[in-house]
């Protein structure tokens, strides 16, 4: 009863039963919000570091965003492994994962993104077709902790500018039909679908530079 008396000044009614009902309703709403937050944390959509929230719903304070052409093999592997959780089917867990990583390290240009000193995203791109002058993005990943913050779009524009400087005339990539967020990003940055399909579940997109 003491809690009711302490809070009764916040309610227009002096009927303790009405006040209790209102408090119960408010507590129910609070529990629902906390439960939703718990599920988001559980699914990895919200990561709490002390009192800071590092997810799009709470807009982390990115003090420094740094783009880098990654040259060292060990650093390339760091980006690939760190951001592998962004994929529905992580490449590091697949049967040919090690061979793919070696291929990326040896032949692709990797543009990495550091946010506040942490690995957050990368784009792996082949720029070796000097006949057609067409670059090919083979991997594009943003770590879940940094998704929804515009980092993917900034990285894509950085990759486009880099390809232009290398004398490329276009960039091609493959996207799964079900990857709606990736498709939105590619369309937003100027890519268009090609009639040619990679498979029944994936399509090619191209951007003319």
């Amino acid at each position: 009863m003491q809690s009711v008396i302490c809070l009764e000044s916040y309610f227009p009614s002096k009927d303790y039963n009405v006040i209790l009902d209102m408090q119960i309703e408010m507590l129910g709403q609070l529990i629902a919000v906390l439960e939703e937050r718990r599920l988001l944390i559980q699914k990895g959509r919200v990561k709490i570091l002390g009192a800071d929230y590092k997810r799009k719903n709470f807009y982390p304070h990115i003090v420094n965003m740094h783009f880098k052409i990654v040259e060292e093999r060990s650093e390339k592997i760091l980006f690939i492994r760190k951001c592998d959780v962004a994929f529905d089917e992580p490449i590091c867990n697949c049967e040919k994962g090690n061979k793919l990583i070696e291929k990326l390290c040896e032949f692709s240009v990797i543009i990495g993104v550091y946010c506040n000193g942490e690995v957050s995203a990368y784009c792996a791109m082949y720029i070796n077709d000097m006949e057609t002058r067409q670059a090919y993005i083979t991997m594009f990943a943003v770590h879940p902790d940094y998704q929804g913050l515009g980092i993917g779009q900034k990285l894509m524009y950085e990759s486009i500018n880099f390809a232009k400087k290398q004398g490329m005339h276009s960039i091609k990539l493959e996207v799964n039909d079900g990857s709606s967020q990736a498709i939105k990003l590619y369309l937003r940055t100027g890519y268009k679908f090609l009639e040619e399909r990679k498979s029944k579940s994936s399509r090619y997109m191209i951007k003319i530079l």
Side-chain angles (χ1 to χ4, degrees):
M1 184 62 69
Q2 184 178 358
S3 62
V4 176
I5 294 173
C6 291
L7 290 172
E8 66 177 335
S9 59
Y10 291 94
F11 298 95
S13 175
K14 297 300 182 180
D15 187 326
Y16 289 140
N17 289 326
V18 173
I19 294 175
L20 279 171
D21 288 341
M22 295 178 70
Q23 285 184 312
I24 291 170
E25 183 179 353
M26 291 173 63
L27 286 171
Q29 293 173 354
L30 176 60
I31 290 170
V33 170
L34 292 174
E35 177 62 15
E36 181 182 3
R37 185 67 48 78
R38 183 186 68 80
L39 291 173
L40 290 173
I41 294 169
Q42 214 173 44
K43 292 178 180 178
R45 291 182 60 193
V46 177
K47 181 178 179 183
I48 299 178
L49 297 179
D52 297 323
Y53 294 94
K54 290 186 60 182
R55 275 296 297 154
K56 63 181 180 181
N57 293 334
F58 305 99
Y59 297 98
H61 181 51
I62 298 176
V63 177
N64 180 38
M65 183 185 298
H66 174 61
F67 294 91
K68 178 181 181 180
I69 304 300
V70 184
E71 297 180 349
E72 293 294 329
R73 181 179 180 278
S74 59
E75 192 175 11
K76 287 183 176 182
I77 293 175
L78 173 64
F79 271 94
I80 294 168
R81 293 193 179 279
K82 179 78 173 181
C83 297
D84 205 33
V85 294
F87 298 110
D88 293 333
E89 298 180 3
I91 62 173
C92 294
N93 296 341
C94 71
E95 184 179 350
K96 298 180 180 179
N98 290 333
K99 289 184 179 180
L100 179 55
I101 291 172
E102 288 300 321
K103 182 180 178 182
L104 290 173
C105 289
E106 186 172 355
F107 298 109
S108 74
V109 173
I110 291 183
I111 303 174
V113 184
Y114 284 100
C115 290
N116 298 344
E118 296 183 10
V119 168
S120 58
Y122 80 94
C123 173
M125 181 166 46
Y126 295 120
I127 309 181
N128 50 15
D129 189 343
M130 304 311 294
E131 184 176 344
T132 64
R133 297 280 179 174
Q134 185 175 85
Y136 186 84
I137 292 179
T138 183
M139 290 289 172
F140 193 94
V142 180
H143 192 282
D145 287 351
Y146 296 91
Q147 290 177 6
L149 299 170
I151 294 172
Q153 184 168 319
K154 290 181 175 66
L155 174 58
M156 180 56 76
Y157 281 129
E158 191 76 15
S159 303
I160 290 169
N161 289 334
F162 181 81
K164 283 182 180 179
K165 291 178 182 178
Q166 302 305 309
M168 296 293 106
H169 296 163
S170 62
I171 303 176
K172 190 177 180 180
L173 56 80
E174 176 194 354
V175 62
N176 290 328
D177 291 337
S179 301
S180 58
Q181 293 304 314
I183 290 172
K184 287 179 183 178
L185 168 63
Y186 301 149
L187 290 173
R188 194 162 55 243
T189 50
Y191 286 83
K192 295 182 179 180
F193 286 109
L194 291 174
E195 291 185 8
E196 173 192 8
R197 293 186 70 94
K198 170 71 173 178
S199 66
K200 290 183 179 180
S201 60
S202 63
R203 309 172 67 179
Y204 284 120
M205 299 184 76
I206 192 170
K207 178 178 175 63
I208 305 301
L209 303 180

